[in-house]
Amino acid sequence: MTAHATRPPRILPCGDSALAVEFGTGMEVASNRRVLALDRALKLAAITGVSEAVPTYRSLLVHYDPLTLGFSELSDRLSALLDEAQPMNGIGRHWRIPVVYGGAFGLDLDTVAAAHGITPDELIRRHSAPRYEVAMLGFTPGFSYLRGLDPTIATPRRSEPRLQTPAGTISIGGAQAALQCLAGPSGWHLLGRTPVRTFQPQRDPVFLIEPGDTVTFTQIDAAEFERLERMAERGDIVAEKLA
């Protein structure tokens, strides 16, 4: 394990009603697992005055009510929890996500395949083979940042981002893969789409996939996408929970 992954975390103020517990300076796997371990321990502790915790790759942002809980007191409580929070593999659920690749569903599939000197079918195989870890949610509701992309297909982000990409886009950017729930701008490469809604306000649960979960992709055709899309519009969970 590298030195930066084992350095003591820093607790930093973020205004007068939030703080950040920072574990590293980049996208290290060890830092992210420590973030998720502290997030899990904080949920179990149910500290009065803490309203929300937001895990990222390298830090945990904790929102609190300063009229109920002070910065120093919360820092002490979190420091104590850090001794108890033990990173573990496989702490979440495992989801199988259906994806239709290429064509109108994945505009960049052929271009990315050509850039790596492989066929589109081989790109699909390499993209769908890993079991990805959900490192964090961000950018837009339900946008899942996935760690575990095959390094042979890592691709720098587009030089000119698109102003609009479809809901359900499955993409790659740099060394990461992503599952994008809502339509929006993106500089990532679009490989396909899924009918799965990771965020749906009228559904319980509102957020389907959470940090610490794992994801695998399975290929479907356009007809199956349309069928599952109609089910998802009704609020059905069309992702398969395997564990």
Side-chain angles (χ1 to χ4, degrees):
M1 184 177 291
T2 58
H4 63 261
T6 57
R7 65 172 58 157
R10 300 195 302 161
I11 299 179
L12 306 170
C14 299
D16 60 1
S17 60
L19 60 76
V21 185
E22 185 181 86
F23 290 92
T25 59
M27 295 167 53
E28 302 92 5
V29 173
S31 293
N32 183 240
R33 287 181 177 162
R34 294 173 75 194
V35 168
L36 298 180
L38 179 59
D39 183 46
R40 184 172 64 253
L42 181 58
K43 285 184 172 68
L44 293 173
I47 298 173
T48 300
V50 171
S51 57
E52 183 181 15
V54 183
T56 72
Y57 263 102
R58 64 185 184 91
S59 63
L60 183 69
L61 179 66
V62 182
H63 295 273
Y64 63 94
D65 178 2
L67 299 179
T68 304
L69 187 65
F71 174 82
S72 296
E73 181 185 353
L74 179 56
S75 297
D76 291 343
R77 297 287 298 275
L78 290 171
S79 295
L81 285 178
L82 284 167
D83 295 332
E84 305 171 11
Q86 297 300 317
M88 296 184 298
N89 295 334
I91 62 173
R93 301 155 300 174
H94 179 50
W95 299 93
R96 179 181 289 158
I97 305 296
V99 180
V100 56
Y101 286 95
F105 296 93
L107 299 177
D108 298 321
L109 181 76
D110 291 348
T111 302
V112 172
H116 291 286
I118 59 178
T119 66
D121 284 345
E122 177 61 15
L123 177 59
I124 293 169
R125 188 193 69 78
R126 296 187 193 184
H127 178 266
S128 59
R131 179 166 174 163
Y132 295 93
E133 296 182 26
V134 182
M136 59 175 283
L137 304 182
F139 183 55
T140 56
F143 190 106
S144 304
Y145 289 83
L146 307 178
R147 181 175 58 244
L149 181 70
D150 184 333
T152 66
I153 59 172
T155 308
R157 298 186 190 189
R158 292 171 50 87
S159 57
E160 295 185 9
R162 293 183 172 96
L163 297 180
Q164 189 75 349
T165 56
T169 290
I170 300 298
S171 57
I172 60 174
Q176 299 177 89
L179 194 169
Q180 174 184 323
C181 181
L182 304 179
S186 177
W188 297 42
H189 300 276
L190 315 184
L191 302 187
R193 285 182 65 196
T194 180
V196 172
R197 267 74 160 167
T198 55
F199 168 76
Q200 208 162 18
Q202 70 275 19
R203 183 189 62 200
D204 183 17
V206 173
F207 289 96
L208 183 64
I209 296 175
E210 298 180 346
D213 288 354
T214 58
V215 167
T216 51
F217 295 117
T218 184
Q219 186 175 11
I220 60 173
D221 60 22
E224 180 66 359
F225 175 90
E226 297 298 336
R227 185 184 74 83
L228 294 176
E229 176 82 351
R230 290 191 294 271
M231 294 174 60
E233 287 175 353
R234 298 195 301 263
D236 293 348
I237 296 175
V238 297
E240 184 179 0
K241 186 169 70 171
L242 301 180

